[in-house]
Amino acid sequence: MTMANTVARAARRGGVRVAEILLLPVVLIALWWGYSVVSASYYTATPGEIATTFGEVWFSERFMVDVVPSVGLLLAGFALAAVLGTTLGVVLGLSPNTRATVEPVLEFFRAIPPPVLVPLLMLLIGVNTPMKVAVIVSGCVWPVLLNTIEGVRGVDPVLADTCRCYGVRGRRWLTTLVLRSASPQIMAGLRQALAIAIILMVISEMFATTSGLGFSIVQFQRSFAIPEMWSGIVLLGLLGVTLSIMFAWVERRVLRWYHGVRAAARDE
């Protein structure tokens, strides 16, 4: 009986949690539906029209032509920015002199909005996939780089001294102490970079290209295909939610030790 009661309470808590998660989206869709029905604007499509159009547009060959290449472009730019930002962040975080030397240059380039670089990259690289990847990297690398630097700088000196006393050196010291200690901030930077990558993916596909989600949405807007345009925007939102859920799943496993330490500290 006790086990049955425990399972029942867990099920009720799970049901309440699901209801809480779905409540706001349902309310927003209902408000949107009501506004679109009473609105006389041609540019406001109802959720029903968008849902019907969504299936017709994206559950077709357009999925392979536009969606899959865009997702591949996003993941390629994000992965490259993650590797580049983490590597440079570790180097600069471990070397105060190098960091002081390059900091003015980093601040200069960080202040340049990535969309401004699109025309320049089109001239230097051309209108192709490497140009789009470069646009994504130019914006995603900064949160990863800066968070990695701060994470490496914040390594506990006591742990560093302990590793030194036990003769932990080289790659083992880097992976066991530095990267492990900085991993919470690195993951925070990666989460920020993922959101930026979605934005820059769309922007990179709006210039002189013939495929991709950004291109399709702009084409729908220019041809006054309003339900199709809204369906593309909804697809971008669903893509962002899906990537966020996947990233949270990976983050929980990478930082399992960190969450365990925090839980133990709370229990004390």
Side-chain angles (χ1 to χ4, degrees):
M1 179 65 69
T2 302
M3 180 63 70
N5 291 337
T6 302
V7 172
R9 284 197 298 269
R12 284 196 296 271
R13 285 197 299 268
V16 171
R17 180 57 180 162
V18 170
E20 291 175 347
I21 294 174
L22 295 179
L23 178 60
L24 182 58
V26 170
V27 171
L28 292 176
I29 291 174
L31 292 174
W32 182 4
W33 204 313
Y35 175 77
S36 61
V37 169
V38 300
S39 174
S41 174
Y42 170 75
Y43 304 105
T44 305
T46 66
E49 294 173 336
I50 296 172
T52 301
T53 305
F54 188 96
E56 296 173 352
V57 173
W58 302 113
F59 293 157
S60 64
E61 67 277 1
R62 187 181 288 274
F63 182 84
M64 298 301 299
V65 173
D66 292 326
V67 180
V68 173
S70 293
V71 174
L73 182 71
L74 185 154
L75 295 178
F78 174 74
L80 186 56
V83 173
L84 184 61
T86 303
T87 303
L88 290 178
V90 170
V91 172
L92 296 177
L94 294 175
S95 177
N97 292 333
T98 304
R99 184 172 64 252
T101 301
V102 303
E103 188 171 12
V105 177
L106 292 179
E107 291 297 328
F108 173 81
F109 284 108
R110 188 170 71 92
I112 300 175
V116 176
L117 298 176
V118 173
L120 176 62
L121 293 175
M122 290 172 61
L123 294 175
L124 296 178
I125 304 177
V127 184
N128 48 29
T129 299
M131 181 275 292
K132 299 174 186 177
V133 173
V135 172
I136 296 174
V137 172
S138 67
C140 293
V141 70
W142 298 111
V144 182
L145 174 63
L146 298 177
N147 277 274
T148 302
I149 291 175
E150 293 305 315
V152 172
R153 291 178 62 189
V155 172
D156 190 344
V158 176
L159 293 178
D161 291 338
T162 303
C163 288
R164 190 177 300 109
C165 292
Y166 281 93
V168 179
R169 298 285 189 274
R171 184 174 64 181
R172 186 181 177 189
W173 172 80
L174 179 64
T175 57
T176 304
L177 175 64
V178 177
L179 290 179
R180 191 176 181 87
S181 298
S183 58
Q185 285 192 258
I186 294 175
M187 295 303 292
L190 290 173
R191 177 178 286 277
Q192 297 173 21
L194 184 61
I196 296 173
I198 298 175
I199 298 172
L200 294 180
M201 176 202 72
V202 176
I203 293 175
S204 68
E205 292 177 339
M206 289 182 173
F207 295 90
T209 185
T210 58
S211 64
L213 276 171
F215 169 79
S216 298
I217 292 173
V218 171
Q219 287 299 108
F220 290 145
Q221 183 266 332
R222 290 174 178 173
S223 60
F224 294 94
I226 303 305
E228 288 80 0
M229 179 192 72
W230 279 108
S231 72
I233 295 173
V234 171
L235 179 59
L236 282 175
L238 293 176
L239 175 62
V241 171
T242 302
L243 291 175
S244 178
I245 293 173
M246 294 173 62
F247 184 87
W249 181 84
V250 173
E251 184 180 35
R252 283 196 300 271
R253 278 147 184 80
V254 171
L255 299 180
R256 183 179 301 171
W257 65 272
Y258 175 72
H259 296 305
V261 170
R262 294 189 62 184
R266 285 196 300 268
D267 293 339
E268 292 178 359

